[in-house]
Amino acid sequence: MPEEEKEVDSVAVPPPPDPAKSKKKTIILIVVLVIVGLALAAGISLFVVTKVMGDLPAGGGEEEGGAPRYHDAGVFIKLGDPKEGILVNVGGPRSGKFLKASIIAEFNPGKKSVINEETHSLFPDAEVKVNDVATQFLRGTALEDFDADKQEDFKKQLKDALNMALGAGSVYDVYITSFLLQ
């Protein structure tokens, strides 16, 4: 019987745990859990942001003209002569009214058929189309449509005419920097 007691005693009494090792394991476990939690939060945030931002331009994030509501910086190009701008007679051939305007269009740099990537300028065929459309649009506009209170509609119509000639989304916006009607 004494042999049986020895076996039971050796099995029943484990060595006392080291308190320093136990505390170290707890700290390591907490640090690992915090790192995993932060990585999980960052991953979820990245997924949500890319999903939301990715849906804006593709779905309802476009304006009526086909250009995205939010876009990269465009290429700004002055229509007509680089120094003088555009000079046309308006209101019909017998009205004797002339318009001299500096109009700048912001072009989509992603339209490879319109904008030369290296020079950030219009390709020659696109330049001819742009100047023709702008001139014809200005000449065909009634004198009443040049009023200051109709300027936003005027700019939107010109943008739409340019996008129709070059392809939807080619022109982001149109800016008028000077406007002289006499």
Side-chain angles (χ1 to χ4, degrees), residues 73-137:
V75 178
F76 292 88
I77 297 176
K78 187 174 188 176
L79 305 184
D81 184 55
K83 289 184 180 179
E84 299 293 324
I86 297 177
L87 177 64
V88 294
N89 59 336
V90 292
R94 296 188 182 157
S95 73
K97 299 283 186 182
F98 292 94
L99 171 69
K100 182 177 180 182
S102 292
I103 300 174
I104 298 173
E106 182 181 10
F107 290 92
N108 180 352
K111 291 288 187 170
K112 305 300 181 203
S113 61
V114 177
I115 296 292
N116 185 339
E117 249 180 71
E118 296 170 3
T119 62
H120 295 291
S121 63
L122 292 171
F123 282 116
D125 59 334
E127 185 176 6
V128 169
K129 287 179 184 179
V130 165
N131 287 326
D132 179 60
V133 168
T135 302
Q136 295 304 320
F137 177 81

Side-chain angles (χ1 to χ4, degrees), residues 4 13 23 28 30 47 63 68 79 121 123 132 146 154 168 172 174 177 179:
E4 288 177 9
V13 181
K23 189 173 184 179
I28 290 174
I30 290 172
F47 173 76
E63 293 178 354
L79 305 184
S121 63
F123 282 116
D132 179 60
F146 290 116
F154 173 79
Y172 289 147
V174 173
T177 56
F179 198 84

Side-chain angles (χ1 to χ4, degrees), residues 8-181:
V8 170
D9 286 342
S10 65
V11 173
V13 181
D18 187 12
K21 281 187 176 180
S22 175
K23 189 173 184 179
K24 190 175 183 180
K25 285 182 180 180
T26 305
I27 291 173
I28 290 174
L29 181 63
I30 290 172
V31 168
V32 167
L33 288 175
V34 167
I35 290 173
V36 168
L38 288 173
L40 185 62
I44 291 171
S45 299
L46 180 66
F47 173 76
V48 168
V49 167
T50 56
K51 183 70 176 165
V52 169
M53 295 304 286
D55 287 346
L56 280 180
E62 292 188 1
E63 293 178 354
E64 292 176 23
R69 197 177 308 159
Y70 305 103
H71 57 75
D72 294 333
V75 178
F76 292 88
I77 297 176
K78 187 174 188 176
L79 305 184
D81 184 55
K83 289 184 180 179
E84 299 293 324
I86 297 177
L87 177 64
V88 294
N89 59 336
V90 292
R94 296 188 182 157
S95 73
K97 299 283 186 182
F98 292 94
L99 171 69
K100 182 177 180 182
S102 292
I103 300 174
I104 298 173
E106 182 181 10
F107 290 92
N108 180 352
K111 291 288 187 170
K112 305 300 181 203
S113 61
V114 177
I115 296 292
N116 185 339
E117 249 180 71
E118 296 170 3
T119 62
H120 295 291
S121 63
L122 292 171
F123 282 116
D125 59 334
E127 185 176 6
V128 169
K129 287 179 184 179
V130 165
N131 287 326
D132 179 60
V133 168
T135 302
Q136 295 304 320
F137 177 81
L138 293 172
R139 291 181 70 195
T141 303
L143 287 174
E144 302 83 46
D145 293 335
F146 290 116
D147 288 340
D149 58 339
K150 296 181 181 180
Q151 185 175 7
E152 288 304 314
D153 288 336
F154 173 79
K155 290 182 349 181
K156 184 183 179 317
Q157 290 172 0
L158 178 56
K159 179 183 93 167
D160 292 344
L162 290 169
N163 277 325
M164 192 174 294
L166 299 173
S170 295
V171 178
Y172 289 147
D173 211 346
V174 173
Y175 305 95
I176 299 174
T177 56
S178 72
F179 198 84
L180 175 65
L181 180 64

